[in-house]
């Protein structure tokens, strides 16, 4: 099980997230995610996705659902998600790549549907310093028309976008 602590300026609360990946077939797994918000002391999100990987194409396709409980609004939401990602290596060693991603989301009644897409350039630097790997990601979200930046160092990840929204994650 993978676990992480997350904090973002928008939520102003520390969240604990757990993720489990269960292989079901070659290049297929079920991914389960749950999130606990320490401010409300209760789970706020549960997600289940079936993920298909296409190694020959450097691509993936995910489909699943997410249940979110918003305690401050006393409201529950169920969404269905579809995601896809395609990676194009820029260098022969694969340390620099160009990714395109897309996602569609709809509510349980299929009335509210939203789509988003992004293009990003990723540079992975192994042994940036002794025992320290670094990944820099610069992207552009097409739907929100926002650039974003991600810096990942071993267990730490820092994200910021063009609206100055930021969050930090620590993988336990």
């Amino acid at each position: 099980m993978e676990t992480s602590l997350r904090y973002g300026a928008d939520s102003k609360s520390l969240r604990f997230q757990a993720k489990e990946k269960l292989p079901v077939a070659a290049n297929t797994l079920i991914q389960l995610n749950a999130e606990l918000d320490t401010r409300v002391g209760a789970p706020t999100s549960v997600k289940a996705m079936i993920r298909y990987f296409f190694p020959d194409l450097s691509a993936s396709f995910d489909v699943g659902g997410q249940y979110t409980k918003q305690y401050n609004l006393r409201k529950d939401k169920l969404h269905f998600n579809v995601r896809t990602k395609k990676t194009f290596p820029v260098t022969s060693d694969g340390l620099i790549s160009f990714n395109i991603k897309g996602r569609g989301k709809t509510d349980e009644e299929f009335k509210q549907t939203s789509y988003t897409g992004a293009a990003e350039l990723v540079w992975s630097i192994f042994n940036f310093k002794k025992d320290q790997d670094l990944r820099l990601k610069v992207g552009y979200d097409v739907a929100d028309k926002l650039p974003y930046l991600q810096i990942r160092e071993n267990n730490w990840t820092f994200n910021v976008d063009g609206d100055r929204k930021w969050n930090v994650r620590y993988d336990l």
Side-chain angles (χ1 to χ4, degrees):
M1 180 174 294
E2 299 172 36
T3 55
S4 62
L5 297 173
R6 297 165 183 240
Y7 183 81
D10 55 342
S11 69
K12 295 198 167 91
S13 67
L14 183 65
R15 294 168 291 134
F16 177 77
Q17 189 174 84
K19 179 190 320 180
E20 184 67 44
K21 296 177 182 176
L22 307 166
V24 293
N27 301 324
T28 305
L29 59 86
I30 294 174
Q31 181 173 308
L32 305 169
N33 294 55
E35 184 175 270
L36 175 92
D37 189 322
T38 59
R39 183 171 31 125
V40 295
T44 52
S45 177
V46 177
K47 182 180 353 180
M49 301 285 284
I50 298 174
R51 304 189 69 195
Y52 300 96
F53 297 94
F54 305 95
D56 296 343
L57 301 173
S58 296
S60 65
F61 175 78
D62 310 351
V63 62
Q66 178 172 350
Y67 171 78
T68 305
K69 183 150 184 91
Q70 296 177 316
Y71 288 91
N72 57 339
L73 301 176
R74 298 176 194 250
K75 195 169 161 182
D76 299 349
K77 288 185 178 181
L78 178 62
H79 286 102
F80 300 103
N81 301 300
V82 175
R83 298 185 315 193
T84 187
K85 179 179 174 184
K86 170 76 172 132
T87 300
F88 300 93
V90 174
T91 58
S92 59
D93 58 9
L95 296 178
I96 300 176
S97 63
F98 179 74
N99 300 336
I100 54 172
K101 306 187 298 187
R103 181 178 60 198
K105 182 167 87 169
T106 187
D107 65 357
E108 59 201 35
E109 297 169 350
F110 298 98
K111 290 183 180 175
Q112 294 179 337
T113 304
S114 64
Y115 303 97
T116 186
E120 53 192 28
L121 187 63
V122 181
W123 181 22
S124 299
I125 308 168
F126 296 114
N127 290 318
F128 178 73
K129 288 187 175 180
K130 187 178 182 202
D131 297 325
Q132 181 185 34
D133 297 334
L134 192 66
R135 182 177 68 200
L136 303 171
K137 184 184 293 185
V138 177
Y140 185 77
D141 186 312
V142 177
D144 294 334
K145 297 184 171 106
L146 278 177
Y148 59 89
L149 170 70
Q150 180 184 82
I151 302 170
R152 180 176 176 109
E153 181 272 336
N154 292 354
N155 293 11
W156 289 95
T157 305
F158 175 74
N159 297 293
V160 65
D161 69 18
D163 277 346
R164 293 183 277 169
K165 291 182 183 172
W166 62 270
N167 63 62
V168 65
R169 178 177 77 212
Y170 181 76
D171 295 324
L172 300 172

